[in-house]
Amino acid sequence: MYKEIICSGFGGQGIMVMGKLIANAAMKENKEVTWMPSYGAEVRGGTAHSKIIVSDKPVASGLFYEPQDCIVMNRPSFIKFEHVIKKNGLMIINSSLVSDKTDRDDLKIVRIPATEKAKELGNIKVANMVALGAYQRITNLVKLESIIAILKDVFPPYRHIMLDINKQALHEGVKLADEYKS
Amino acid sequence: MTKNNQKDKNRVLMVGNHIIGQAAIEAGCKFYAGYPITPQNELTAYMADNMPEAGGVFIQAESELAAISMIFGASVIGERVMTSSSSPGISLKQEGISYLAACKLPAVIVNMQRGGPGLGNISPAQSDYFQATKGGGHGDYHTVVLAPNGSQELFDLTYLAFDLADIYRTPVLVLGDGVLGQMAEPVTLKPSFKHEKTKVDKSWALAQTKNKEPKVVKSLFLEYGALENLNKELKKTYDIIESNEVRAETFYIDDCEIILVAFGATSRICKKVMMTLRNEGLKIGMIRPITLWPFPKKIISDAAHKKVKFLVVEMNMGQMVEDVRMAVFGKSEVHFYGRTAGIIPSEKEIIKKIRSLS
């Protein structure tokens, strides 16, 4: 098993955290992982992405440009990554902010209204968790329990009051993925 | 399998900059001074967060020059010290590094390189190879240069850097880059090599001098021949370092037609290239210098012969390739592929270059 994943969106959407949760959960499941943030003169509202590799064997290089799976949380990310995802790859799209159609017919596309669902839950910031929940459900790359278990390690203590709503958002993402499938 | 699980349980996912910070603390670093610069800011922040609790001192200096001078001061009294920066900031520290070398003061200096020259950009680069390995500041000196390429090595080599600095009384440079600083990988926060607590004589330190013979640490020698004596002494130490401390990793060098030579982040990409092409039946090997100074001359020289070609891959316009050519000494063809100014060479580009050679 060797998987390259890109999480992408705008600064402030929790794009780095999504990636860290996947990497940390996979590490706890004894996988080899790397996590690489995009960094630059980034600003809130600018585009951001994190690259994650999950593998059974030691990872030679954490750098890659063509992911198998891509989670896109906003439109600039959709445009940036639509054509670099590997053949027959997976794209999870935050349909609340991206309505574009893709001309790729090989991709598995899953549209999740992550931002709307997060608003419903009472905090727009957990849209990332909704998307991550959906990603977990579709790929089963890591267990949902593993993600939930490491939330408290990845979030700083002063954010721990947010643990419940994050868990809730993950579960909602799982549900949305099931609904999308059927 | 059991052993694997044991290892896994203790692993944590940390970015490279944090790993270096924790390694320094584990190694007993008691004084850190730094000034912010991307892409090594997480290291300064980590030291700010953790040094006080570890019984050490953290100072955000007013400039890079101040930071290197502060660690000079703390090293003079015998403490384990570190500073860190990225390329333009390391240039500013060169005066201090030269003084540390002249005064035979142990210190660890971390350079998480970014694109240059000038203020450059903030993306990863390896274009400070010349500066790191050929002195950097003025005068007849060397610094030991360690080039980690992943999480565990970032820990191990930072830890080792403090020992080498103490043993040889020399500044030691840890040469990373933006990729290594920003990337997170699992790491065990203990040295993975066999480590015995090094007991080093620091009677030269300017500490506890009351009612004792005065001691002097200086770098100004005006008397005829005095400076030459110092430089000869330094050279003696450098010779010992060259015979004791060369480190490199080799892959398939007895069974290959092309040998890749790369260090740091680039070596990770080259390793992937090597694995991909070997699966296709191409005979590719690799030499990865871990110490850039002392340079693994003999390992490269021994691997060179008429039937093998070298391809040096760097994130610069061709710096280490000069040392490789010198070691190969005409016994093999030596080629170069590099991307520079913050652009990372891709596997595809390297593979294309390799195919053009064979």
Side-chain angles (χ1 to χ4, degrees):
Chain A
M1 195 273 295
Y2 179 82
K3 192 153 253 189
E4 296 169 333
I5 309 142
I6 288 183
C7 301
S8 59
F10 58 75
Q13 271 185 316
I15 302 304
M16 301 301 143
V17 165
M18 277 170 106
K20 272 189 187 165
L21 287 170
I22 296 171
N24 264 293
M27 182 183 71
K28 294 288 180 200
E29 293 178 12
N30 285 338
K31 298 285 197 301
E32 297 297 334
V33 299
T34 61
W35 172 87
M36 179 80 198
S38 64
Y39 76 94
E42 312 286 20
V43 290
R44 188 171 296 269
T47 57
H49 62 267
S50 59
K51 294 176 174 176
I52 307 100
I53 297 178
V54 176
S55 171
D56 290 329
K57 292 183 191 143
V59 179
S61 166
L63 300 162
F64 62 88
Y65 305 94
E66 297 165 359
Q68 289 151 280
D69 298 351
C70 189
I71 305 174
V72 297
M73 295 297 289
N74 70 347
R75 195 160 176 267
S77 304
F78 175 86
I79 294 163
K80 186 170 181 176
F81 294 114
E82 179 194 1
H83 289 287
V84 299
I85 300 172
K86 282 210 174 77
K87 199 166 165 26
N88 301 323
L90 167 69
M91 182 155 60
I92 308 258
I93 299 172
N94 178 11
S95 59
S96 312
L97 301 182
V98 186
S99 53
D100 303 54
K101 298 269 172 289
T102 175
D103 53 17
R104 300 258 321 244
D105 53 13
D106 60 308
L107 295 181
K108 179 174 180 181
I109 306 279
V110 180
R111 292 178 185 275
I112 300 290
T115 303
E116 283 159 56
K117 182 54 80 181
K119 268 189 210 160
E120 257 175 54
L121 291 171
N123 192 329
I124 197 170
K125 284 186 194 157
V126 297
N128 58 343
M129 292 296 142
V130 177
L132 182 58
Y135 178 73
Q136 186 282 329
R137 184 62 166 181
I138 289 155
T139 61
N140 214 18
L141 179 68
V142 290
K143 295 193 191 88
L144 186 66
E145 304 85 78
S146 303
I147 300 176
I148 290 172
I150 47 97
L151 283 174
K152 62 176 187 334
D153 298 333
V154 173
F155 292 161
Y158 70 94
R159 291 274 190 226
H160 283 187
I161 44 165
M162 303 276 289
L163 287 179
D164 280 341
I165 191 171
N166 277 282
K167 281 179 209 168
Q168 219 181 331
L170 283 165
H171 286 296
E172 289 298 329
V174 169
K175 267 192 237 164
L176 285 171
D178 283 342
E179 284 163 23
Y180 191 84
K181 269 195 246 173
S182 56
Chain B
M1 198 63 214
T2 329
K3 199 184 158 203
N4 227 345
N5 283 339
Q6 253 171 10
K7 187 186 112 191
D8 290 342
K9 214 177 63 188
N10 296 322
R11 295 192 308 173
V12 285
L13 189 71
M14 277 171 98
V15 298
N17 282 327
H18 288 175
I19 294 171
I20 292 178
Q22 188 56 36
I25 288 170
E26 294 282 336
C29 176
K30 284 287 175 277
F31 185 91
Y32 172 94
Y35 184 81
I37 183 169
T38 306
Q40 66 81 57
N41 283 324
E42 296 79 7
L43 174 50
T44 311
Y46 192 90
M47 297 313 263
D49 274 347
N50 294 287
M51 276 298 265
E53 206 178 311
V57 175
F58 166 86
I59 294 181
Q60 179 170 324
E62 69 269 34
S63 72
E64 284 84 353
L65 199 63
I68 192 83
S69 302
M70 285 174 185
I71 71 160
F72 182 105
S75 181
V76 157
I77 61 157
E79 293 295 349
R80 286 194 153 184
V81 300
M82 182 169 90
T83 185
S84 66
S85 192
S86 181
S87 307
I90 294 293
S91 293
L92 292 166
K93 290 184 199 285
Q94 289 303 336
E95 181 191 22
I97 297 172
S98 170
Y99 278 52
L100 285 164
C103 294
K104 296 196 277 185
L105 291 175
V108 175
I109 299 123
V110 179
N111 180 5
M112 302 310 265
Q113 297 168 89
R114 60 187 241 179
L119 208 45
N121 62 21
I122 60 175
S123 302
Q126 296 180 321
S127 39
D128 302 348
Y129 177 91
F130 283 153
Q131 184 198 55
T133 58
K134 313 294 176 194
H138 61 282
D140 246 339
Y141 78 97
H142 273 291
T143 50
V144 175
V145 184
L146 306 175
N149 82 341
S151 55
Q152 198 60 48
E153 243 183 34
L154 282 161
F155 188 93
D156 288 353
L157 293 183
T158 304
Y159 197 96
L160 178 72
F162 283 91
D163 282 354
L164 295 180
D166 272 358
I167 292 166
Y168 298 107
R169 290 186 62 184
T170 180
V172 176
L173 203 66
V174 177
L175 193 69
D177 60 62
V179 176
L180 294 168
Q182 301 291 325
M183 187 166 69
E185 289 184 283
V187 61
T188 307
L189 296 171
K190 291 233 158 60
S192 69
F193 57 94
K194 198 163 174 286
H195 180 261
E196 286 156 22
K197 260 264 173 298
T198 34
K199 190 105 177 84
V200 178
D201 170 37
K202 285 199 174 180
S203 56
W204 49 264
L206 304 190
Q208 287 143 9
T209 49
K210 206 173 174 186
N211 301 327
K212 286 182 191 154
E213 281 281 295
K215 291 182 245 181
V216 178
V217 172
K218 63 167 188 168
S219 72
L220 179 67
F221 297 91
L222 295 175
E223 320 85 273
Y224 180 82
L227 182 58
E228 190 181 44
N229 284 342
L230 171 77
N231 289 350
K232 281 179 177 168
E233 246 180 77
L234 290 177
K235 177 69 166 67
K236 234 184 248 170
T237 306
Y238 299 147
D239 287 345
I240 297 169
I241 293 173
E242 286 209 271
S243 60
N244 288 355
E245 303 299 345
V246 172
R247 288 169 170 79
E249 193 179 18
T250 61
F251 303 89
Y252 307 110
I253 50 172
D254 298 324
D255 173 37
C256 67
E257 284 153 11
I258 290 175
I259 298 179
L260 299 170
V261 188
F263 69 96
T266 315
S267 70
R268 299 280 295 266
I269 306 164
C270 284
K271 191 174 177 191
K272 202 168 168 198
V273 165
M274 177 186 74
M275 285 154 61
T276 307
L277 293 183
R278 280 195 86 86
N279 277 340
E280 287 178 21
L282 261 72
K283 295 206 158 183
I284 312 287
M286 184 163 125
I287 298 174
R288 174 173 77 91
I290 296 171
T291 50
L292 299 182
W293 195 89
F295 192 68
K297 291 178 217 170
K298 189 167 185 307
I299 293 168
I300 290 174
S301 170
D302 289 350
H305 53 82
K306 257 192 299 196
K307 286 182 181 157
V308 73
K309 290 175 184 169
F310 283 77
L311 175 63
V312 182
V313 185
E314 299 177 69
M315 288 196 281
N316 58 46
M317 293 302 283
Q319 300 194 13
M320 181 174 70
V321 64
E322 293 191 2
D323 286 337
V324 174
R325 280 208 181 99
M326 210 122 66
V328 167
F329 207 64
K331 287 190 281 182
S332 304
E333 280 178 34
V334 178
H335 300 268
F336 175 74
Y337 185 76
R339 294 299 301 269
T340 179
I343 296 173
I344 302 164
S346 71
E347 289 159 58
K348 276 186 184 167
E349 292 165 18
I350 299 168
I351 288 173
K352 200 174 150 198
K353 178 74 185 179
I354 290 171
R355 293 202 200 281
S356 80
L357 299 178
S358 45

